[in-house]
Amino acid sequence: MASGDVVRIAVYEEPDLLLEVKLSDAGTISYPFLGEVEVAGMTVGQLESRIIDGLKGDYLVDPKVTASVLEYRPFYIHGEVESPGGFQYSPGLTLRKAIALAGGFTERASRSKMYVIRDGVTTDNDKGRQIRLSEELLPGDIVSIEQSFF
């Protein structure tokens, strides 16, 4: 999870502890009884464990917590696609599907010069890492499709 994701946390039979919130730029949420909780980089399972550990004992005997990501932050695609821009991410999204969402390749698009800059990952160049059509994208990815020169 990262900044911009919308997260839902529920505690069984505790309606006052239901929370649906967009993660702040700091990657934190404000949760009842626990205050500010840093969740950036956590998996859903890790978040559930963190909430259980925080509530267990002082507040509840045996809390049953479920967490889920309701909405992921968008990914971006630019360059030689028909409709560049930001698009809603969904799990299982491949580069091929992302290009389809962006209206497909333009006439001048290269099928081999495609790059991704991953959220939070530094690369040796400004273009990012070269990517294949079958590779999965992640929320927050920035994809560049270059021109073909032939």
Side-chain angles (χ1 to χ4, degrees):
M1 290 178 275
S3 172
D5 290 342
V6 177
V7 178
R8 181 180 195 272
I9 302 169
V11 180
Y12 181 67
E13 293 190 354
E14 297 292 336
D16 292 342
L17 296 179
L18 175 67
L19 179 71
E20 290 184 8
V21 64
K22 188 175 199 170
L23 269 60
S24 70
D25 287 343
T28 62
I29 60 170
S30 181
Y31 197 76
F33 303 117
L34 305 181
E36 205 71 16
V37 178
E38 189 172 327
V39 298
M42 283 187 177
T43 64
V44 169
Q46 290 169 329
L47 176 58
E48 288 174 353
S49 294
R50 170 69 179 89
I51 300 297
I52 289 169
D53 291 345
L55 294 175
K56 192 178 236 175
D58 291 339
Y59 303 104
L60 299 171
V61 175
D62 187 22
K64 305 286 187 234
V65 176
T66 58
S68 58
V69 178
L70 297 179
E71 185 179 304
Y72 293 93
R73 62 199 177 284
F75 72 93
Y76 302 89
I77 186 167
H78 65 92
E80 295 300 317
V81 289
E82 294 293 338
S83 300
F87 297 89
Q88 186 62 48
Y89 174 84
S90 59
L93 181 74
T94 62
L95 177 57
R96 184 181 318 275
K97 292 175 185 176
I99 290 168
L101 286 172
F105 288 116
T106 65
E107 259 181 43
R108 302 194 297 189
S110 171
R111 304 308 198 264
S112 62
K113 295 179 184 174
M114 300 175 289
Y115 300 91
V116 63
I117 297 174
R118 186 128 296 154
D119 230 7
V121 177
T122 57
T123 59
D124 294 337
N125 61 47
D126 292 339
K127 289 182 182 180
R129 178 181 63 82
Q130 197 158 8
I131 187 172
R132 295 182 320 274
L133 287 170
S134 60
E135 284 188 59
E136 283 198 22
L137 297 178
L138 295 176
D141 278 356
I142 301 170
V143 176
S144 299
I145 309 297
E146 293 194 354
Q147 284 186 354
S148 177
F149 295 105
F150 60 87

